[in-house]
């Protein structure tokens, strides 16, 4: 069982490291946000699973499961909200970005905000 816990902890630490490297290395805000939410949540989930196995109690397993569910319910919503707010604040896209799917949608939202 200790080997499984160790492998899960190492995998979780790896994904947390990938998230940190992504935040530092990605060229614009939106890509950094993507790296932080996806890999960070997966790394945390692996570490929580390892903790649940290590402690081996029902309480630890339930707490880990609730926390993992919380991560996966809130991280995408928070990432979406932060990204949309950044887009509305006109945070620049990367120079090589070729598709801007929010370009027309954001204009409609801005016009609706101005009318309100």
């Amino acid at each position: 069982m200790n080997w499984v816990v160790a492998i899960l902890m190492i995998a979780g630490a790896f994904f947390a490291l990938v998230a940190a490297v992504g935040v530092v290395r990605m060229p614009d805000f939106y890509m950094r946000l993507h790296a932080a939410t996806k890999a960070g949540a997966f790394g945390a989930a692996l570490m929580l699973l390892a903790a649940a196995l290590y402690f081996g109690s029902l309480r630890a397993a339930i707490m880990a499961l609730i926390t993992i569910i919380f991560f996966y319910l809130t991280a995408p919503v928070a990432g979406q909200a932060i990204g949309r707010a950044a887009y509305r604040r006109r945070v620049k896209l990367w120079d090589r970005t070729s598709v801007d799917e929010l370009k027309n949608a954001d204009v409609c939202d801005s016009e609706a905000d101005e009318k309100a």
Side-chain angles (χ1 to χ4, degrees), residues 34-89:
H34 177 76
T37 55
K38 299 285 183 181
F42 190 62
L46 289 175
M47 288 187 193
L48 285 166
L49 187 60
L53 289 175
Y54 178 77
F55 290 112
S57 68
L58 181 62
R59 181 175 184 213
I62 290 172
M63 292 299 289
L65 183 64
I66 289 171
T67 308
I68 290 170
I69 290 171
F70 179 77
F71 268 131
Y72 278 93
L73 288 177
T74 58
V77 174
Q80 170 70 20
I82 293 169
R84 185 138 181 115
Y87 189 83
R88 285 182 166 207
R89 299 291 293 174

